[in-house]
Amino acid sequence: MNVSIRMIGIATTVFWIFVVIFAVSAMYSVKDLRFEFGEPQASVTSEGKMLLSMPITIVNTGYYNIRNFNVTTLIFDAENMPIVQGSTSVPIIQKGREITTSHNITFSIADLLQKSERYLFEDVALRAEERIGLWAAEVIPVEARANISLPWGAPLYNFALGTPQYSAYNRTHMRAEIPISFENHAFFDLACNVGVRMFDDSSRLLGAGATSVEALQHSAYDGSLTMYVPVPTSDTSMTSGYFEVNFASSLFSFGPMVIHYG
Amino acid sequence: MVKAGNNSKSFAKTVAVKAVKAAAKGAIFYLAYLVAWTFISPLSDLVPGLQQTIEAFVMVYFVLIIVGEFASGSIFQYFFSAAKILFVIGYMMYTLNGGVFGITIENVSLMVDLRLFMLIAVVLGLLGLAKTMLQAVSYMSEKAEPKLV
């Protein structure tokens, strides 16, 4: 009996030493793990989707490999509904190695607009949840979560059509100049076609016109659109009515949006 | 009179030997703690209360080592040995929150899943407990055996 007791004692002692050394060295290794997140870059894919790309550098100078490194970004709207999700995985990061990967999030602005048109015209505070998961020393799952506020800049912020300025064109028609103004608060440059149809109070179509607008990110746009409208008669009035505005770009199309005038 | 003097001398010698043994074991344990702490200390900035938690563990374990050593040669050493093992298992489960350890620093929440590590530690602890029980049974059976004249 004494021999078996001694054997159990030796075995447990050896295993305890192994477990303690492993735990301590694994904890120490965490200190030598470094993550560097680069500046996110925005671009447009060939399918007309927005691509947000963030370079991530992982430096593992610890004693153990890291397995299943995963970064997930979830973006929620103001109502806390998920609108965008992107995930990046690295199966293994060897000890003493440095790995640079790119965390990509692709989303369609058209899909975003289906949820709400306010993303086009209003700046909205979104919530982003970053999840970083990894298996330290290949066996200890670790997960870190962070909530950050993500400001969404509207590409057509404060979009407005001004009062039409009329000038003579011919006997039957007049030239109408309609001022267009907005601010591009988005993180991408905007190039889109704006189509405007002008109606009077009795919903009679007076004229239509289109123009292409271009605005660099974080810049304001001031321009005008020209259309030809019939000279008013006794039964037509152009003092008040409404515009129907349509937007079309490689990233989204939206409309008609009704803006009253007069 | 001479016999009583010899007995007290022998008792003092036994206690002295136990004290030396206890001091040696305590010193080795404390040395191991100091070495381990040099590796763990960088994490104390990240995990609030880590140092206090480990120090409390080390203190109680240290006391149990000393007391257990003084109780050696009696049945009580096995009680203290069992207490030591149960303390390790209990303290680990309590501080590691059942194996899933989580902390929140500013707006970053960190979760470490130590269930596998804890399972191994608990199994080793239970193995140690079984060994202590066998030792206690062996000790009692040796005591109960009639001595040959």
Side-chain angles (χ1 to χ4, degrees):
Chain A
M1 191 158 176
N2 278 341
V3 175
S4 54
I5 290 170
R6 191 157 290 177
M7 290 313 291
I8 295 172
I10 292 167
T12 47
T13 307
V14 168
F15 277 116
W16 264 122
I17 290 168
F18 174 76
V19 167
V20 169
I21 289 174
F22 174 75
V24 169
S25 57
M27 277 195 239
Y28 188 70
S29 285
V30 174
K31 178 186 76 73
D32 295 324
L33 190 61
R34 211 171 70 242
F35 301 104
E36 285 163 15
F37 295 90
E39 194 70 30
Q41 301 290 321
S43 58
V44 181
T45 65
S46 53
E47 295 95 39
K49 290 184 173 181
M50 284 306 304
L51 174 69
L52 284 176
S53 186
M54 181 168 66
I56 302 172
T57 304
I58 310 137
V59 185
N60 177 19
T61 48
Y63 298 135
Y64 301 99
N65 297 339
I66 286 167
R67 210 148 57 85
N68 296 344
F69 176 81
N70 181 280
V71 180
T72 303
T73 302
L74 279 156
I75 300 176
F76 299 88
D77 63 13
E79 284 76 41
N80 242 5
M81 295 294 286
I83 48 174
V84 181
Q85 179 172 359
S87 192
T88 304
S89 291
V90 180
I92 193 155
I93 302 156
Q94 305 277 354
K95 58 183 173 183
R97 294 280 298 273
E98 180 180 321
I99 283 182
T100 301
T101 185
S102 190
H103 178 47
N104 296 330
I105 308 161
T106 310
F107 67 97
S108 160
I109 292 183
D111 291 347
L112 204 63
L113 290 176
Q114 276 185 351
K115 291 182 188 291
S116 173
E117 63 181 61
R118 61 193 287 217
Y119 295 107
L120 211 51
F121 303 105
E122 287 175 37
D123 291 347
V124 182
L126 304 174
R127 183 175 70 84
E129 188 178 296
E130 285 289 343
R131 294 179 191 170
I132 300 173
L134 56 91
W135 284 41
E138 297 200 53
V139 290
I140 304 168
V142 179
E143 191 184 76
R145 287 182 185 205
N147 280 312
I148 44 174
S149 179
L150 196 69
W152 166 264
L156 294 165
Y157 181 82
N158 220 3
F159 181 87
L161 295 179
T163 309
Q165 302 293 314
Y166 300 104
S167 58
Y169 179 64
N170 60 24
R171 287 180 63 190
T172 56
H173 283 79
M174 294 191 304
R175 182 189 280 120
E177 288 273 336
I178 304 163
I180 298 175
S181 65
F182 65 89
E183 291 164 31
N184 179 10
H185 287 183
F187 56 85
F188 52 88
D189 298 339
L190 178 73
C192 83
N193 287 313
V194 180
V196 178
R197 297 202 300 166
M198 187 177 174
F199 295 87
D200 65 8
D201 274 334
S202 50
S203 296
R204 195 180 356 239
L205 179 66
L206 299 175
T211 185
S212 59
V213 296
E214 285 183 19
L216 296 175
Q217 52 180 296
H218 309 297
S219 68
Y221 176 86
D222 276 302
S224 64
L225 181 144
T226 305
M227 69 170 73
Y228 298 94
V229 294
V231 173
T233 57
S234 57
D235 52 335
T236 59
S237 163
M238 286 190 299
T239 50
S240 63
Y242 62 93
F243 296 115
E244 271 187 6
V245 191
N246 286 283
F247 303 91
S249 81
S250 58
L251 292 171
F252 62 88
S253 40
F254 176 75
M257 183 177 77
V258 175
I259 298 174
H260 290 273
Y261 67 90
Chain B
M1 187 78 173
V2 175
K3 201 177 176 186
N6 280 348
N7 273 351
S8 65
K9 239 183 185 179
S10 151
F11 177 74
K13 193 181 169 187
T14 310
V15 170
V17 168
K18 282 180 180 177
V20 169
K21 265 187 171 180
K25 275 191 177 179
I28 290 168
F29 178 71
Y30 193 72
L31 207 68
Y33 157 69
L34 285 180
V35 171
W37 181 248
T38 54
F39 286 93
I40 301 168
S41 58
L43 286 181
S44 61
D45 296 335
L46 194 70
V47 185
L50 179 73
Q51 191 172 2
Q52 290 88 327
T53 307
I54 291 176
E55 275 176 358
F57 172 82
V58 167
M59 264 196 293
V60 175
Y61 200 82
F62 188 82
V63 168
L64 287 172
I65 284 176
I66 303 291
V67 175
E69 197 51 48
F70 275 105
S72 66
S74 70
I75 189 68
F76 295 109
Q77 70 167 314
Y78 304 112
F79 283 96
F80 285 114
S81 184
K84 213 161 59 179
I85 291 159
L86 290 173
F87 168 70
V88 170
I89 295 171
Y91 198 78
M92 203 162 52
M93 285 180 115
Y94 170 70
T95 51
L96 296 180
N97 197 23
V100 182
F101 175 73
I103 51 163
T104 303
I105 308 154
E106 290 174 7
N107 72 335
V108 179
S109 64
L110 187 75
M111 193 273 292
V112 184
D113 188 348
L114 294 167
R115 279 178 296 185
L116 180 70
F117 169 75
M118 219 181 76
L119 183 76
I120 294 167
V122 167
V123 167
L124 285 177
L126 291 176
L127 211 60
L129 193 66
K131 188 200 86 175
T132 305
M133 281 175 155
L134 284 173
Q135 278 178 320
V137 169
S138 173
Y139 177 83
M140 288 307 286
S141 60
E142 274 172 23
K143 280 257 174 189
E145 272 173 18
K147 283 198 175 111
L148 291 171
V149 182

